[in-house]
């Protein structure tokens, strides 16, 4: 299994640098399990770009459901991420339901249907980003329930919404709309403007509302950190990058379809500061 876990580590190093670096602040005995979990998340998240069409994407997601259910054991053994994840699920008693719900939520990514509502967006965020944080916290707690359900939920929603705002140019270019339909309707924003890359006043109002929602969840997470067991902090560390990202979006020069990312050196410094000084200051 060593080669499988090494593969997961390299996959996360290349495809999810923030979580790769955050895991380095975890005790060494947990890092390989975290990389296996994060590699699985990468595999599922990238389904659309790897499959390109909905039907192959559905088949790919079903393969992951079957793998978690114990089907195709020989095929799973030959897949380094699936083999590593199966070992981690057993060793740390991870709830399969959370992993299956994460896969189900990613079905939305395969299609060009718009996000129906704000409540649907929050549920999508909870089943993806929040679930990933909670699963990582369970690993860091040796498979025990860390009691971080509400904290993971708020932190994950803040992380997901901020990430979707940052990815707006990518999604718009391929005809995907993660901006909630009810929010678009409230402000009179048009999907055609999103796909054309036109930052209208109405669209900017929608984005501002989503930033407020992300900050609300970030603030709620900050208030729950006082009850968090210190050992689960690396699971939440990537969320420390969200406030600086939101701050950049509040600048007068902000262009939604040409966002400027935080430089890598600053991202690493924020993660280091969050790990050393505590997450309450970072959130």
């Amino acid at each position: 299994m060593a080669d499988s876990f090494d593969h997961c580590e390299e996959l996360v190093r290349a495809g999810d640098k923030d979580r790769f670096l955050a895991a380095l602040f975890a005790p060494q005995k947990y890092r390989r399990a975290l990389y296996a979990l994060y590699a699985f998340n990468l595999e599922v998240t990238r389904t659309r770009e790897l499959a390109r069409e909905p039907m192959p994407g559905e088949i790919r997601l079903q393969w992951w459901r079957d793998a978690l259910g114990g089907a195709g054991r020989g095929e799973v053994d030959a897949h380094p991420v699936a083999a590593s994840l199966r070992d981690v699920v057993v060793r740390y008693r991870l709830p399969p339901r959370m992993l299956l719900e994460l896969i189900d939520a990613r079905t939305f990514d395969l299609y060009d249907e718009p996000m129906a509502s704000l409540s649907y967006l929050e549920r999508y965020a909870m089943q993806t980003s929040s679930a990933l944080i909670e699963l990582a916290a369970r690993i860091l707690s040796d498979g025990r329930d860390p009691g971080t359900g509400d904290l993971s939920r708020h932190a994950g929603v803040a992380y997901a919404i901020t990430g979707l705002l940052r990815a707006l140019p990518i999604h718009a270019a391929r005809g995907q709309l993660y901006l909630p339909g009810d929010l678009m309707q409230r402000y009179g924003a048009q999907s055609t403007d999103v796909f054309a890359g036109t930052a209208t006043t109405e669209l900017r109002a929608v984005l501002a509302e989503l930033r407020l929602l992300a900050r609300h969840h970030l603030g709620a997470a900050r208030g729950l950190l006082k009850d968090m067991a210190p050992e689960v902090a690396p699971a939440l560390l990537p969320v420390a990058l969200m406030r600086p990202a939101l701050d950049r979006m509040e600048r007068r020069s902000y262009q939604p379809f040409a966002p400027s990312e935080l430089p890598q050196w600053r991202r690493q410094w924020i993660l280091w500061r969050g790990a050393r000084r505590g997450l309450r200051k970072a959130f």
Side-chain angles (χ1 to χ4, degrees), residues 80-130:
V81 177
S84 299
L85 179 68
R86 185 185 61 199
D87 182 78
V88 169
V89 168
V90 173
R91 184 180 304 175
Y92 295 100
R93 303 184 297 279
L94 300 185
R97 173 188 57 80
M98 295 180 69
L99 294 161
L100 291 171
E101 287 179 353
L102 190 155
I103 294 170
D104 290 344
R106 287 296 177 184
T107 303
F108 177 86
D109 302 344
L110 304 180
Y111 299 92
D112 294 336
E113 296 177 5
M115 188 70 70
S117 65
L118 201 54
S119 61
Y120 193 100
L121 173 61
E122 289 184 290
R123 184 164 67 251
Y124 170 89
M126 285 186 274
Q127 291 177 329
T128 53
S129 294
S130 300

Side-chain angles (χ1 to χ4, degrees), residues 45-65:
T45 301
R46 290 175 170 176
T47 297
R48 174 163 177 149
E49 64 183 82
L50 293 173
R52 299 186 181 277
E53 296 292 335
M55 185 54 67
E58 291 274 15
I59 293 170
R60 187 179 180 89
L61 292 181
Q62 186 59 46
W63 185 91
W64 279 105
R65 293 187 190 95

Side-chain angles (χ1 to χ4, degrees), residues 158-174:
Y159 187 94
I161 292 176
T162 306
L164 290 172
L165 290 173
R166 288 165 51 201
L168 180 63
I170 298 171
H171 294 148
R174 62 190 188 195

Side-chain angles (χ1 to χ4, degrees), residues 51 97 106 127 186-187 200 222 239 248 251-252 267:
R97 173 188 57 80
R106 287 296 177 184
Q127 291 177 329
R186 184 191 308 169
Y187 288 103
T200 63
R222 187 187 307 116
V239 184
R248 291 174 79 89
R251 294 177 177 177
R252 292 176 63 87
R267 301 173 78 85

Side-chain angles (χ1 to χ4, degrees), residues 6 36 41 64 76 144 167 176 191 195 210 241 248 254 267:
D6 289 344
N41 181 62
W64 279 105
V76 170
R144 299 184 301 274
Q176 283 182 291
S191 59
F195 300 141
L210 288 173
L241 296 164
R248 291 174 79 89
Y254 171 60
R267 301 173 78 85

